[in-house]
Every structure is written in structure tokens, then in C-alpha cells.
Amino acid sequence: MKEKINNLISKEKNMKEKIIAIVNQKGGVGKTTTTINLGTELAKHHKNVLLVDFDPQGSLSIGLGVRDEEIPSMSELMLAEMNDQELPEKKNIVLELDYVDLIPANITLSAVEISLINTTCREMILKNILQKYKKGYDYILVDCGPSLGMLTVNALTAADSVLIPASAEFLSAKGLEQLLGSVAKTKRKLNPELQIEGILFTMVQEQTRLAKEMINMVQKAYGKLNIYDVRIPRSIDVGTAIRQGKTIREFNHKNKAAEAYQQLAKEVLKHE
Ligand SMILES: Nc1ncnc2c1ncn2[C@@H]1O[C@H](COP(=O)(O)OP(=O)(O)O)[C@@H](O)[C@H]1O
Ligand SMILES: [Mg+2]
């Protein structure tokens, strides 16, 4: 709540809200972890932050302690927008947590993805939804699921930029190429302003040769893109923190990954 008051200060600057899609079609690369920890760190810099769960697995919602499947969630918003119905008032859908706000999601979102196929302007649904709720936020982080399907295309269409967490050890050149291909296609056809916010190496164990080789490969092939200087180290505390509904900094502020996420927030802010 204290943070919320501080957040009012940033509104005076009249900054445009920025929507960042957190995307990688691979699961388990740190998308949700990055959404939670980056979002909270941005809030600690007095930014007003909305986190959007856009993965039918609902890991972001669960990680933030929202387990109730009965509450209104992203599926209701999607269905309302798809059927040209009025969207609910912000207070009836956006949850106010300690540092950030959240639009939750759950498994019902997977059925919505299927019905999107027969919807007109099916790529624009999330963009239209966020149009209603984004006002007053500095950052909106959209946590995507592990696919390049219709939901992710919606996120890419709604976003100003894309942040790509890539697990250094399991990074595949082909996967990254496919992902950047999808980004390029969305930019060409649907969202000409779309930018790559940056590539973030996650779960890095510096000492392994494989990780070093993969990072070198990406730097060589995609050096023109922003690759964050900071890398998120692998640490068992990261998973433990999430399971306890905490950010890594709350769980153990001396942890190297906690420091790394603070650094990441600074790099993202510099990009403004
Ligand atoms: N830096 C890290 N070190 C160790 N484990 C991590 C780290 N980041 C994420 N994890 C763990 O890896 C798993 C996948 O992370 P998650 O953020 O859910 O990935 P995604 O959203 O891409 O599927 C989770 O169990 C999470 O706790
Ligand atoms: Mg996830």
C-alpha cells in the first residue's frame, strides 16, 4: 500500500504506459519468474505495474497466491471482447496485490484459445482489452504460455515490446529463430511499432561450457538486439520463493538472483 502511494508520484510525469510481452515458446525458461520479480522490482522504483497472466496454466496467478478458479479472470475478458460485450469495471477484474496489480488466468483460457480461431480480428482481442485497463500504469507485463499460438500472437499484437527469457543451457538456436520469426511477422502484419525489449539469459551457471557456448552463439547471431548485461543465475531459492508466494528478494535479499533481478529492473528503466 505504501508503494501504491509512492506510485502516484510517477503519474505526474505523464509517461505513456508500456506493454511488455514476456515470451518464449519453450516452457520452464523463467518467463513467469521474470514477470513476478521484474514486475515487483519496477514497483519498488515507484512504477505502477500491472501483471497480466496470459498462460492457461495460470502459473503467474498461482505464484502470486491467487488460487481461486471461481473469480473473474482473463477468460471472461476474452469472451466478452470476442462477443462484443461490455468489459467489466476495473475493480471487478484487476486484483490489487502488495506491490503490483494482477489480471489472473486459469485453465479456462485454453478453451478460449480454441474459440479464437473463429473470431473476427482474432489477433486484436487482448489489445482491445488492455486498452480499457492500461490507463494509469507505467508497465504492463504479459506473462505468456509456452507456445507461439493464438494467445501469444495476441500478446505480441498488444505489446510495445518483447522480453525474451532464454535459459542458457537449453537454449536452441532454432527455437530462438522461430520466436524472432513470429515477432517479425507480427510486426509486419499487425503491430508495426513492436520492438524487441531484450534477450535475458536465465538460470545461468556460468561455469558450464555449454552455457558459455550458447551465450556466445546468441551474441554472435543476434548482437544487434539488446541482450541484457545482467544474467539471472541459477539458484534453488528462486523456486522455493515462488512456492512460498514471495519474490526472490523477499525470500533472501542476499541471493545472487535477487540482485540480478534488481539489476534487470534498472536496465529496463534505462531503456525508457
Ligand atoms: N534463476 C532460476 N534458478 C533456479 N530455478 C529457476 C530460476 N528461474 C526459474 N526457476 C524455476 O524453473 C521453473 C520454470 O520457471 P518459470 O518461470 O515457471 O518458467 P516458464 O514461465 O518459462 O515456464 C520453476 O520451477 C522456477 O521456480
Ligand atoms: Mg510460465
Side-chain angles (χ1 to χ4, degrees), residues 28 30-33 55 57 59-60 143-146:
K31 290 183 290 296
T32 302
T33 305
D55 179 357
Q57 290 174 53
S59 329
L60 175 64
D143 183 27
C144 293

Side-chain angles (χ1 to χ4, degrees), residues 23-27 31 55-57 113 144-153 156 179 182:
V23 182
N24 191 322
Q25 73 273 35
K26 271 191 99 149
K31 290 183 290 296
D55 179 357
Q57 290 174 53
E113 179 164 31
C144 293
S147 95
L148 292 175
M150 250 311 137
L151 290 177
T152 298
V153 172
L156 292 175
L179 170 49
S182 275

Side-chain angles (χ1 to χ4, degrees), residues 4 8 15 30 37 218 250:
K4 291 268 165 69
L8 293 172
M15 201 188 80
N37 287 285
V218 173
E250 283 167 334

Side-chain angles (χ1 to χ4, degrees), residues 61-160:
S61 308
I62 295 167
L64 289 166
V66 178
R67 282 158 200 275
D68 191 349
E69 302 266 305
E70 303 297 315
I71 56 172
S73 71
M74 185 45 86
S75 311
E76 280 75 32
L77 296 183
M78 293 290 285
L79 289 173
E81 180 61 30
M82 286 156 71
N83 295 316
D84 276 329
Q85 289 159 356
E86 205 175 325
L87 293 167
E89 296 280 312
K90 183 177 167 192
K91 64 175 177 6
N92 293 329
I93 182 78
V94 177
L95 302 174
E96 292 190 12
L97 308 178
D98 283 347
Y99 295 103
V100 294
D101 288 356
L102 170 72
I103 298 181
N106 58 47
I107 189 68
T108 55
L109 191 57
S110 59
V112 172
E113 179 164 31
I114 295 165
S115 43
L116 264 176
I117 295 167
N118 296 318
T119 304
T120 38
C121 302
R122 58 192 180 174
E123 297 95 350
M124 314 293 286
I125 306 297
L126 181 65
K127 186 187 172 86
N128 296 341
I129 290 170
L130 292 183
Q131 208 65 35
K132 177 173 170 104
Y133 300 105
K134 71 181 182 183
K135 277 181 228 89
Y137 292 105
D138 301 301
Y139 286 94
I140 296 125
L141 306 184
V142 183
D143 183 27
C144 293
S147 95
L148 292 175
M150 250 311 137
L151 290 177
T152 298
V153 172
N154 263 265
L156 292 175
T157 305
D160 297 298

Side-chain angles (χ1 to χ4, degrees), residues 19 21 52 103 111 128 160 227 235:
I19 303 178
V52 177
I103 298 181
N128 296 341
D160 297 298
I227 299 173
S235 159

Side-chain angles (χ1 to χ4, degrees), residues 180-243:
L180 293 171
S182 275
V183 172
K185 191 172 167 192
T186 310
K187 187 176 165 79
R188 221 169 37 242
K189 301 203 168 188
L190 295 155
N191 184 6
E193 305 296 327
L194 182 62
Q195 301 286 326
I196 306 270
E197 186 71 29
I199 298 176
L200 172 69
F201 291 115
T202 57
M203 306 184 200
V204 174
Q205 278 174 307
E206 289 289 356
Q207 66 275 27
T208 69
R209 221 186 82 211
L210 180 60
K212 274 192 195 140
E213 278 173 8
M214 285 320 245
I215 290 174
N216 285 340
M217 179 277 287
V218 173
Q219 278 168 337
K220 249 195 203 140
Y222 301 106
K224 270 184 277 172
L225 300 177
N226 176 40
I227 299 173
Y228 292 107
D229 292 332
V230 69
R231 295 166 188 174
I232 311 298
R234 178 179 290 279
S235 159
I236 196 132
D237 283 358
V238 173
T240 315
I242 290 203
R243 280 190 295 279

